[in-house]
Amino acid sequence: MTVRASRWLIVLAAVCFGTTGTAQALGALGGAQASATSLGAARIVFGGALLTILAFAVALAERRRRSAGADRDGDSDREPGRVRGRLRGSSVALVLLGAAGVAAYQPAFFTGTAQNGVAVGTLVALGSAPVLTGLLEWGWFRRPPGIRWACATFVAAMGVAALSGLYSGGGGPVTALGIAGSLGAAASYAVYTLSTKLLLDRGWSPTTAMGATFGTAAVLMLPVLLASNPAWLAQPAGLATAAWLAVVTTALAYTLFARGLRGLPASQVSTLTLVEPVTATALGIFLLHEDFTPATICGILLLVTGLAILTVPRRMPVRAG
């Protein structure tokens, strides 16, 4: 897969992520009154279950295909040995680490927005996630993301700040707990992105990596869902909201995310996912009839500029003669 194709997969994943808030709002308009914690837990539990089922289905189909090939070639021992090699303890640790990051992201993000408001909480979480991912990747691989990535991330983060309403007074009193929650969400994102990248680098397929990570996270989040008064799931609007969150914003989005991540550095992927707030803003304007302000235009332009800095290829030098 080419780098350009990988980037488009990440952008499509970010578009799916960006529909989360609109799905929540439309569900509430339909009578599904659910807390953010309950929605987040339902998204991981049901979406993780779908990713696990998909991983098993793909693995079963692949095993049958390989068995048929082995029967024809008379070599049935080679592939199972390679699969066993992938299941060493360090890979299991990466799955557990990624699942912990997925599970921790939900309460950490909602703590940040509850304490400091949606504007500041979202800005700190989304704006710092690419930075923390780049630093974590730098520390692990001993390879700096580069000046181009830093410039793109800075410009895109300024766009997130504009979209969040911070420049127009959208923020209020800031608490240390709220900042810690938002930074914790960003760190959780960085952890599960890098852990998934390491699994992919070890030869895991995108469906297997996502199924293992989110399946484990679903188990961790199930008690949270059960304790969060999930009665809203019995309503038609609630069921539709949960289905959208599970199928589109989790199963589909993270399948695309993992496929794109396989061909790109984690730091670049983290910056590309800043397409998410652009999608959320556009849906808010066209579907929820939210205000379209100069700050919105500024934010979108800054985000597009930041992503262009990252993705537009450098011009090749022209040879003389």
Side-chain angles (χ1 to χ4, degrees):
M1 183 181 297
T2 65
V3 170
R4 178 177 295 182
S6 296
R7 287 171 175 166
W8 275 112
L9 288 175
I10 297 300
V11 168
L12 289 174
V15 170
C16 293
F17 294 149
T19 66
T20 301
T22 302
Q24 178 183 0
L26 292 176
L29 290 174
Q33 299 298 326
S35 67
T37 300
S38 188
L39 278 167
R43 177 188 179 193
I44 299 303
V45 169
F46 298 123
L50 284 176
L51 284 168
T52 303
I53 293 171
L54 177 63
F56 273 112
V58 172
L60 182 60
E62 185 68 11
R63 184 175 180 180
R64 288 175 176 172
R65 185 186 67 80
R66 288 171 177 168
S67 296
D71 290 340
R72 288 193 301 269
D73 299 338
D75 185 6
S76 59
D77 297 328
R78 184 182 306 166
E79 189 60 32
R82 189 164 69 90
V83 173
R84 284 196 298 269
R86 293 179 187 172
L87 298 179
R88 55 187 183 272
S90 57
S91 294
V92 174
L94 286 174
V95 170
L96 294 176
L97 186 64
V102 171
Y105 181 89
Q106 307 297 322
F109 181 82
F110 294 135
T111 296
T113 55
Q115 288 286 317
N116 293 336
V118 174
V120 175
T122 301
L123 167 63
V124 175
L126 294 184
S128 60
V131 177
L132 293 179
T133 304
L135 293 175
L136 189 60
E137 184 181 58
W138 186 359
W140 183 270
F141 291 109
R142 300 292 189 270
R143 184 177 64 244
I147 298 298
R148 190 181 190 188
W149 167 84
C151 293
T153 300
F154 175 78
V155 174
M158 293 302 97
V160 172
L163 290 176
S164 70
L166 188 66
Y167 299 151
S168 57
V174 175
T175 68
L177 178 60
I179 293 295
S182 296
L183 289 176
S188 300
Y189 172 88
V191 165
Y192 76 71
T193 298
L194 187 59
S195 66
T196 302
K197 176 64 174 175
L198 293 172
L199 288 173
L200 295 171
D201 288 348
R202 292 184 174 196
W204 286 48
S205 70
T207 51
T208 301
M210 288 291 96
T213 299
F214 276 81
T216 305
V219 174
L220 296 176
M221 293 300 291
L222 181 58
V224 178
L225 176 61
L226 295 177
S228 64
N229 189 21
W232 58 276
L233 288 168
Q235 303 173 17
L239 189 60
T241 300
W244 183 273
L245 293 177
V247 175
V248 177
T249 73
T250 305
L252 174 60
Y254 280 102
T255 298
L256 296 171
F257 179 85
R259 291 185 179 278
L261 181 60
R262 184 165 54 176
L264 296 172
S267 55
Q268 187 175 138
V269 167
S270 186
T271 301
L272 288 171
T273 53
L274 292 179
V275 170
E276 176 185 351
V278 176
T279 303
T281 300
L283 290 174
I285 292 170
F286 292 110
L287 293 183
L288 304 178
H289 308 292
E290 296 178 348
D291 293 335
F292 187 64
T293 65
T296 303
I297 300 174
C298 178
I300 291 175
L301 289 177
L302 283 170
L303 268 165
V304 171
T305 301
L307 297 177
I309 293 172
L310 186 65
T311 58
V312 173
R314 298 181 181 89
R315 297 185 64 180
M316 297 297 293
V318 178
R319 293 183 179 180

